[in-house]
């Protein structure tokens, strides 16, 4: 009787989700309880909580909870930036350092892109083309964030040496090309070979290019940031002048930790352990919502107050 009951519950849940009207009944709640997933079949028919978070709508609205979750911090930060704008402009006029202006603009771009993605995803979520549009938007967001992430590494490490506008433009151009290559690869994998665990018949979730690509890139960035953190402890510091600001190393350590957790989550997914998705949900949320404030605190807070 347990199996047939589970089947009817999942059928009802499927139907409810398909209509976009998710009304949590007591039955539905018990079916989501982990001990109620004796075999993999049940696990696939009733999606894991950490998977549900990514596609569940708010009431009958067709607006995803996940989009709202990512929109709120970005909007809050954008409002903060606008509020700071008059004093920031006054300070920028006084200084001749183009690097501060660059960082300030980059932070604005990150916040604006995050807001745009969430808003457009909400408006298109009712159509069938929504999946592709949503994935393209994620890629565009990731492109901007990665280009900025790479620029911050280079500009941060060469903080004292890059004072001309042309050299900063060169750095931004190089990182944009690298980020574009990454995003095109990720987008191609994502659209042509979507991750089967994240693409059931009723919904198709942005999977960041699949678990293997995710694992590889997380490990790579983890190594890069870890290397930056240990640079001052290595003989390299006698050869080149490293940034003296402690906040830069804290920033690198935070991103190193984020990539480590994301790598572990992806590794669990590669091993077929769906709980890895919970790690990845958390890191995705943190990365896409707090990256701009992190740059602000690291590089601009001391300057703009």
């Amino acid at each position: 009787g347990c199996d047939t009951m589970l089947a009817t519950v999942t059928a009802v849940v499927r139907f409810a989700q398909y209509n976009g009207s998710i009304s949590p009944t007591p039955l539905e709640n018990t079916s989501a309880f982990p001990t109620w997933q004796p075999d993999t079949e049940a696990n696939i028919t009733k999606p894991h909580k950490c998977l549900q978070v990514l596609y569940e709508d708010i009431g009958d609205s067709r607006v995803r909870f996940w989009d709202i979750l990512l929109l709120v911090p970005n909007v809050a930060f954008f409002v903060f930036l606008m509020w700071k704008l008059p004093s920031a402009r006054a300070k920028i006029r006084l200084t001749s350092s183009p690097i501060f202006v660059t960082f300030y603009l980059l932070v604005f771009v990150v916040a604006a892109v995050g807001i745009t993605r969430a808003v457009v995803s909400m408006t298109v979520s009712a159509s069938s083309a929504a999946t592709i549009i949503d994935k393209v938007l994620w890629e565009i967001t990731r492109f901007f964030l990665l280009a900025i992430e790479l620029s911050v590494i280079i500009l941060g490490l060469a903080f004292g040496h890059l004072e001309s506008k042309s050299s900063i433009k060169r750095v931004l151009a190089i990182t944009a090309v690298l980020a574009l290559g990454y995003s095109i690869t990720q987008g191609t994998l994502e659209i042509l070979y979507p991750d089967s665990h994240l693409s059931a018949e009723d919904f198709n979730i942005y999977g960041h290019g699949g678990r293997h690509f995710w694992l590889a890139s997380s490990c790579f960035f983890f190594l890069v940031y870890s290397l930056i953190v240990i640079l001052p402890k290595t003989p390299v510091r006698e050869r080149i002048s490293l940034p003296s600001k402690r906040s830069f190393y804290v920033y690198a350590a935070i991103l190193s930790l984020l990539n480590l957790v994301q790598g572990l989550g992806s590794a669990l997914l590669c091993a077929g352990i769906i709980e890895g998705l919970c790690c990845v949900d958390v890191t995705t949320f943190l990365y896409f919502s707090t990256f701009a404030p992190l740059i602000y605190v690291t590089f601009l807070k001391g300057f703009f107050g």
Side-chain angles (χ1 to χ4, degrees):
C2 180
D3 284 346
T4 48
M5 188 177 168
L6 189 61
T8 45
V9 170
T10 32
V12 169
V13 171
R14 271 280 166 75
F15 183 68
Q17 280 161 358
Y18 203 68
N19 282 351
S21 57
I22 294 173
S23 48
T25 57
L27 248 179
E28 188 182 329
N29 286 344
T30 49
S31 71
F33 202 65
T35 51
W36 248 52
Q37 298 172 348
D39 55 3
T40 47
E41 291 303 311
N43 204 354
I44 291 161
T45 46
K46 180 76 188 89
H48 193 274
K49 271 279 196 288
C50 292
L51 186 60
Q52 262 177 302
V53 166
L54 300 178
Y55 68 86
E56 202 146 89
D57 296 340
I58 297 171
D60 300 340
S61 63
R62 301 291 300 161
V63 170
R64 273 183 303 201
F65 181 66
W66 184 239
D67 286 329
I68 294 282
L69 204 63
L70 286 164
L71 179 67
V72 172
N74 277 304
V75 168
F77 184 63
F78 197 77
V79 169
F80 168 78
L81 285 178
M82 295 305 284
W83 175 63
K84 279 279 188 190
L85 192 61
S87 63
R89 278 174 66 180
K91 282 189 178 166
I92 285 172
R93 278 205 195 95
L94 293 173
T95 178
S96 57
S97 169
I99 207 157
F100 280 114
V101 184
T102 309
F103 273 125
Y104 196 67
L105 289 172
L106 291 181
V107 164
F108 252 108
V109 170
V110 175
V113 166
I115 291 169
T116 311
R117 191 209 63 75
V119 169
V120 177
S121 283
M122 286 173 195
T123 49
V124 298
S125 68
S127 68
S128 58
T131 300
I132 300 291
I133 296 169
D134 190 47
K135 290 188 173 193
V136 170
L137 282 169
W138 272 106
E139 282 317 324
I140 293 168
T141 312
R142 182 70 180 117
F143 161 71
F144 275 108
L145 289 180
L146 184 62
I148 288 163
E149 212 182 312
L150 296 171
S151 306
V152 166
I153 293 175
I154 298 169
L155 296 173
L157 284 172
F159 208 84
H161 314 289
L162 288 176
E163 283 303 319
S164 69
K165 280 184 180 163
S166 59
S167 57
I168 290 175
K169 276 180 189 157
R170 202 171 299 131
V171 167
L172 293 175
I174 293 166
T175 56
V177 170
L178 291 171
L180 190 64
Y182 177 94
S183 295
I184 287 171
T185 309
Q186 193 180 41
T188 308
L189 287 169
E190 182 57 39
I191 290 165
L192 299 183
Y193 311 101
D195 197 320
S196 59
H197 280 234
L198 299 181
S199 314
E201 57 222 53
D202 301 341
F203 51 87
N204 196 331
I205 292 160
Y206 177 67
H208 302 265
R211 62 197 66 188
H212 298 101
F213 180 79
W214 222 0
L215 177 61
S217 59
S218 297
C219 290
F220 174 73
F221 288 114
F222 166 67
L223 290 172
V224 169
Y225 284 114
S226 301
L227 195 66
I228 291 172
V229 174
I230 60 168
L231 268 182
K233 310 274 188 287
T234 60
V236 178
R237 64 175 184 199
E238 281 124 39
R239 304 257 176 83
I240 53 170
S241 61
L242 293 169
S244 54
K245 285 180 76 171
R246 192 169 157 270
S247 59
F248 178 68
Y249 299 104
V250 173
Y251 162 84
I254 290 170
L255 281 168
S256 170
L257 184 67
L258 190 79
N259 280 293
L260 176 66
V261 175
Q262 194 159 279
L264 290 172
S266 321
L268 287 172
L269 284 176
C270 288
I273 302 165
I274 195 74
E275 277 71 23
L277 199 60
C278 303
C279 295
V280 170
D281 281 356
V282 173
T283 55
T284 305
F285 170 72
L286 288 174
Y287 180 73
F288 283 94
S289 63
T290 61
F291 181 57
L294 182 63
I295 297 177
Y296 186 90
V297 170
T298 306
F299 300 99
L300 300 170
K301 190 167 169 282
F303 180 65
F304 295 128

